[in-house]
Amino acid sequence: MNMLYVVGFIAACLIALLLTPFVKRFAFWVGAVDAPNQRKVHTRIMPRLGGLAIFLAFVGAYFIISPAIETHKSDVAVGLLVGGAIVVLVGALDDRFDLSPKVKLLGQILAACVVVYSGVVIDLVNVPFGDMTISLTWLAVPLTILWIVGVTNAINLIDGLDGLSAGVSGIATATIMVLALMMGNVTVVLLSVILLGSIVGFLFFNFHPAKIFMGDSGALFLGFSLATLSILGFKQATVVSLLIPVMILGVPLSDTFFAIMRRWVNKMPISAADKSHLHHCLLQLGLSHRQTVLVIYGISLIFGLCSVLFAQIQDTLWAMVILIAILLSVMVVGAEAIGIISKSRKPVLQFLQKLAKMVQVSSRVSK
């Protein structure tokens, strides 16, 4: 089985490496290009549609390793492929014609419904420290669709620098793969392996300086795949372990959350575009393009390691509470420090500064 994992990864990586140059030419031929503007950091016209290479590599590698997919999980894998084809098609059309947000959302919901129909549903929740199991009944389907659509768009939102979305997705995929190995979930491991290989092969052309962008076709497919794999790996879990996929996708989900908070604080429409996402803030601090991407890779890796640690300590309540408290504290302080919500309103930092001054005054008085 270990050899099959290696074969799947190498096959996906090689297919992506071979196909990406052809996809690049095709993007120029059909006019699926990204012109620079005031919100974007690139300075020349770039081809999009890189997601086609990722998806085709994933499909090609899947048929190589498909005999090893468990029979009762084959429908799920087919659902991922069909749903993935839908979001890739929608993304590719958007890369060329700039579809309306409503049309893109409709395509994402349709793809999510395909996955739900294949059997991927968050249906049971086991309460920790007890034997009670809660069935989500009628909430299962809408919650599953909401999760898939939410993660799909979160990955799309961070696709703002060369190699950023692909690298973050690759780290999240590797984390899901490690956790699936720990749980013995062969199907999730196999699907994660070929997805990771497809991403790595594409990153050869997408890392700074990029030769091609993944476009919405790639960002939507990666987000959709990560959302589906995370449900497939953790759909019947304890209440606390449902936090594991949230941690795995910590960077895109937190960036989306902070974007919503930022627009609410500044009284802007939630759908309004801006230039204050995590990567924008790091660039404004003086980091180079490559440094910014590597810093965010590091943050993603920390989230991934925390999710693995969380999976190990989920039966120890006090350890989980401490880990969650540390993560949330670091996130809030870090967000205020770089001004991702507001450049001027930083209540937590201001409180900490006042507290530090009080401590200094108290220590001087005591002396």
Side-chain angles (χ1 to χ4, degrees), residues 65-366:
I65 58 94
S66 59
I69 299 290
E70 300 170 49
T71 303
H72 65 284
K73 294 289 183 66
S74 60
D75 289 344
V76 169
V78 171
L80 176 58
L81 291 176
V82 174
I86 292 172
V87 293
V88 168
L89 176 61
V90 171
L93 291 173
D94 184 61
D95 289 338
R96 174 59 183 88
F97 299 107
D98 290 325
L99 302 179
S100 71
K102 290 181 180 179
V103 172
K104 289 197 291 183
L105 180 61
L106 183 62
Q108 294 165 31
I109 293 174
L110 177 60
C113 289
V114 170
V115 169
V116 168
Y117 181 76
S118 73
V120 182
V121 182
I122 306 172
D123 48 9
L124 297 177
V125 176
N126 300 320
V127 178
F129 317 113
D131 297 324
M132 185 171 63
T133 299
I134 301 174
S135 176
L136 296 179
T137 60
W138 61 271
L139 282 174
V141 170
L143 280 176
T144 303
I145 292 175
L146 180 64
W147 170 257
I148 293 175
V149 172
V151 173
T152 300
N153 283 284
I155 295 295
N156 197 28
L157 280 177
I158 65 167
D159 186 26
L161 295 179
D162 298 353
L164 179 56
S165 187
V168 169
S169 298
I171 293 169
T173 303
T175 305
I176 293 174
M177 181 186 70
V178 169
L179 289 167
L181 279 169
M182 291 166 55
M183 295 185 296
N185 194 328
V186 175
T187 298
V188 175
V189 175
L190 286 170
L191 293 174
S192 298
V193 162
I194 61 175
L195 181 62
L196 182 59
S198 304
I199 293 170
V200 171
F202 176 72
L203 259 175
F204 181 81
F205 300 93
N206 185 237
F207 195 72
H208 186 71
K211 299 176 180 65
I212 184 173
F213 291 163
M214 68 166 59
D216 274 20
S217 55
L220 295 181
F221 173 65
L222 291 181
F224 174 80
S225 300
L226 287 170
T228 303
L229 289 175
S230 65
I231 296 173
L232 191 57
F234 306 101
K235 70 171 187 170
Q236 295 184 4
T238 63
V239 171
V240 291
S241 68
L242 291 177
L243 292 173
I244 294 175
V246 175
M247 286 187 184
I248 293 171
L249 298 161
V251 167
L253 291 180
S254 61
D255 192 41
T256 302
F257 172 75
F258 289 134
I260 294 172
M261 291 296 296
R262 178 174 63 252
R263 289 158 191 172
W264 179 73
V265 167
N266 295 310
K267 298 180 179 179
M268 297 170 57
I270 290 180
S271 59
D274 60 24
K275 206 169 184 178
S276 297
H277 288 284
L278 175 59
H279 54 278
H280 293 132
C281 292
L282 292 176
L283 287 171
Q284 291 162 13
L285 290 176
L287 272 65
S288 68
H289 191 127
R290 183 167 293 190
Q291 288 172 336
T292 297
V293 171
L294 293 176
V295 166
I296 298 177
Y297 282 4
I299 297 172
S300 298
L301 186 58
I302 291 171
F303 273 111
L305 293 173
C306 285
S307 66
V308 173
L309 176 60
F310 195 86
Q312 297 296 306
I313 65 173
Q314 59 180 306
D315 293 327
T316 310
L317 182 59
W318 64 268
M320 291 187 303
V321 172
I322 291 175
L323 179 59
I324 293 172
I326 291 173
L327 273 177
L328 290 176
S329 299
V330 172
M331 282 176 57
V332 171
V333 172
E336 288 197 355
I338 65 174
I340 196 171
I341 297 178
S342 174
K343 302 299 182 184
S344 57
R345 298 171 63 180
K346 302 180 179 182
V348 175
L349 281 179
Q350 290 168 359
F351 171 76
L352 292 176
Q353 289 170 355
K354 289 179 181 179
L355 189 62
K357 289 179 181 178
M358 289 173 61
V359 171
Q360 289 176 354
V361 171
S362 177
S363 63
R364 289 172 187 171
V365 171
S366 63

